Amino acid sequence: MKICMLSNLYPPIITGSSTQSAALARELVCLGHEVIFITAHVDKDTPSYESIEGVHVYRLPAFRLPKLGIALNFAWLSITFTPSNQRRINEIITKHQPDVLHLHNHMFDIAFSAVRMSRIFKIPVVLTIHTIIKHGNPLYNLLLYPLDQIMLRYLVINQVDNMILPDLNARRYVIEAFKVAPTYGDVIPYGISLPDKPSDDVAARLLEQYDLVDKRVILSLGHLHEIRNRHDLIRAMPDVLKEHPNTVLLIVGTVATESPKILAKQLGVDQAVIFAGAMPHDQIPAFLSIADLEAHWLNQDEPENTSLGIASLEAMSAGTTILAAANPDTYGKGMLKHDENIIIVEPHQPEELAQVIIDLLEDDTRRNRIGEKARQTIAKYFSWESVCQKTIAVYENVKGR
């Protein structure tokens, strides 16, 4: 098949959706499909066109917006919906003649281009919902909810031919927000590549760079903003340090809020909390190789409505024990089991969280057992072979309508 993917986000911009959509494009090319990816040109060090692992990547001139609190200070907001870009997309689609359009994310403006091109060329469009629109600040939600549930519902959601939902929480979101049928959309989990073991030299360099030699490392992967602010982890650190003074919380991801740094200083644990900032995705296996645990979860919602992030799934694929305040049934009943392949914790209970961390740090056998079960779970249920098969089936279905 010929597939045209569209998203404002694509590497080297590193987000969960950008790395996931880029990986899906790459894997589909490996299976013999032709993939075109249309994205925003927000990193000026990248060319306007290049072939990456067989994927045709076209970058559209974009106006980069400033960081906004309502968008969690996200650094890569951009505007691409201009007359000149509409003509450019038209040229690209005319050249490649795709069988299907695959839109990633519904809240960026390239979604309007995808819907428009679908109408012009009579090409079906599939949408993957990567992000649930909900802010930690209730005042912002007064604006976001109408924009999402009325404007985007009408302009984007109602215009696509099908949806791909990464888990059952995403399905619950689209049912409640957009009033679709309970069976609407195909639930296809994210594909996770089992990482290559990094060289000992790379791991040693990280240990030296962050002064982690002979330290116990709690790794936390993912962007740092107010719905992923790590406050629970930081509040747990004083008790953890009493039992294990050589413990470090290492946060790897773009820093979009100062509140975690302020909290760490107030609690007197700022020397034990390292904010490493954003890192290239190919360095993540090296960070995982030096971690005793990975702890990363959203705090915008109750655990029963919270999914694991891609970062946590990648940690599981590396055989790292993860802690999450999330719904263990989000990918299906019984796939994730507490104390078997994951540790489920309650949010807003730092003392209990501290004790969980202490117990895990003191029991290497238990931690290694959970990590190995986690690795097996990812290999069984999140393989790219399975994800690509199911995704192509969605394409074939909408193409045949």
Side-chain angles (χ1 to χ4, degrees):
M1 296 185 71
K2 293 184 178 181
I3 303 134
C4 178
M5 296 188 181
L6 302 97
S7 173
N8 286 62
L9 306 174
Y10 190 87
I13 308 309
I14 300 301
T15 69
S17 70
S18 71
T19 56
Q20 185 64 202
S21 57
L24 175 61
R26 177 195 68 222
E27 295 294 331
L28 289 171
V29 167
C30 290
L31 293 176
H33 304 283
E34 180 181 346
V35 183
I36 306 99
F37 209 114
I38 301 175
T39 188
H41 198 177
V42 290
D43 185 336
K44 299 310 177 186
D45 292 332
T46 56
S48 58
Y49 168 81
E50 61 182 324
S51 177
I52 304 176
E53 297 180 289
V55 180
H56 300 282
V57 180
Y58 293 90
R59 296 186 175 91
L60 306 174
F63 174 71
R64 189 168 165 185
L65 296 172
K67 295 179 181 180
L68 302 170
I70 194 170
L72 299 167
N73 292 318
F74 185 61
W76 300 105
L77 287 178
S78 64
I79 294 175
T80 63
F81 196 77
T82 63
S84 61
N85 279 340
Q86 294 305 293
R87 291 191 292 271
R88 181 62 177 138
I89 296 172
N90 192 306
E91 292 170 358
I92 295 167
I93 292 179
T94 299
K95 176 181 178 180
H96 290 278
Q97 295 291 307
D99 300 299
V100 65
L101 305 179
H102 187 165
L103 171 64
H104 294 272
N105 293 306
H106 70 296
M107 69 286 202
F108 298 123
D109 74 337
I110 212 165
F112 307 138
S113 298
V115 168
R116 185 169 182 268
M117 293 301 152
S118 174
R119 290 177 178 173
I120 291 173
F121 288 93
K122 309 300 182 188
I123 304 172
V125 57
V126 173
L127 165 65
T128 293
I129 294 281
H130 290 282
T131 302
I132 293 173
I133 296 184
K134 185 174 183 179
H135 203 285
N137 185 333
L139 293 178
Y140 284 138
N141 287 327
L142 294 176
L143 176 60
L144 289 173
Y145 286 171
L147 286 174
D148 187 31
Q149 298 173 19
I150 298 174
M151 188 184 84
L152 292 178
R153 177 186 176 187
Y154 174 74
L155 294 177
V156 180
I157 300 300
N158 290 351
Q159 311 304 321
V160 303
D161 294 276
N162 203 354
M163 283 190 203
I164 292 176
L165 309 168
D167 54 50
L168 298 179
N169 288 332
R171 168 166 275 173
R172 182 187 299 113
Y173 162 65
V174 300
I175 291 170
E176 294 175 354
F178 307 124
K179 312 306 177 189
V180 301
T183 57
Y184 182 68
D186 287 76
V187 176
I188 303 176
Y190 287 132
I192 302 296
S193 302
L194 298 178
D196 296 329
K197 190 177 186 304
S199 69
D200 291 339
D201 289 344
V202 174
R205 178 179 58 78
L206 289 180
L207 290 172
E208 182 176 351
Q209 179 179 351
Y210 295 104
D211 190 23
L212 300 175
V213 177
D214 297 326
K215 302 282 181 67
R216 309 303 298 268
V217 178
I218 305 166
L219 180 66
S220 188
L221 297 170
H223 299 314
L224 186 67
H225 49 65
E226 280 308 320
I227 59 173
R228 298 179 184 177
N229 56 31
R230 314 314 204 271
H231 285 187
D232 281 0
L233 285 167
I234 294 170
R235 289 193 174 99
M237 286 302 291
D239 288 345
V240 172
L241 291 168
K242 287 177 185 176
E243 298 296 326
H244 297 280
N246 63 337
T247 302
V248 169
L249 172 59
L250 176 61
I251 301 173
V252 177
T254 302
V255 177
T257 176
E258 293 298 309
S259 69
K261 293 182 180 180
I262 295 170
L263 178 61
K265 191 171 184 64
Q266 288 174 343
L267 295 175
V269 297
D270 47 312
Q271 297 301 311
V273 181
I274 299 172
F275 299 89
M279 294 290 162
H281 189 252
D282 59 9
Q283 290 190 24
I284 297 306
F287 280 98
L288 287 167
S289 73
I290 64 174
D292 294 283
L293 300 166
E294 199 274 340
H296 165 75
W297 59 82
L298 303 175
N299 52 286
Q300 74 188 88
D301 220 329
E302 295 303 312
E304 57 267 22
N305 296 324
T306 301
S307 305
L308 292 183
I310 294 173
S312 291
L313 295 173
E314 290 178 335
M316 291 174 67
S317 76
T320 305
T321 296
I322 73 163
L323 290 78
N327 179 1
D329 295 330
T330 186
Y331 301 106
K333 195 76 173 174
M335 188 181 297
L336 300 177
K337 295 181 179 178
H338 173 68
D339 207 32
E340 182 173 314
N341 54 9
I342 189 172
I343 296 294
I344 299 294
V345 297
E346 292 296 323
H348 317 308
Q349 297 184 20
E351 292 181 0
E352 288 80 355
L353 175 61
Q355 191 57 55
V356 169
I357 292 172
I358 291 166
D359 291 345
L360 285 166
L361 291 178
E362 292 176 351
D363 193 339
D364 293 349
T365 301
R366 178 187 175 208
R367 202 173 60 253
N368 292 336
R369 170 180 56 78
I370 295 170
E372 176 56 24
K373 283 287 188 181
R375 189 194 65 77
Q376 293 172 9
T377 299
I378 296 299
K380 182 176 181 180
Y381 295 105
F382 297 84
S383 72
W384 274 114
E385 180 183 2
S386 172
V387 169
C388 287
Q389 262 185 357
K390 293 175 181 177
T391 303
I392 289 294
V394 174
Y395 295 162
E396 294 283 5
N397 181 264
V398 297
K399 181 185 170 188
R401 290 179 184 175

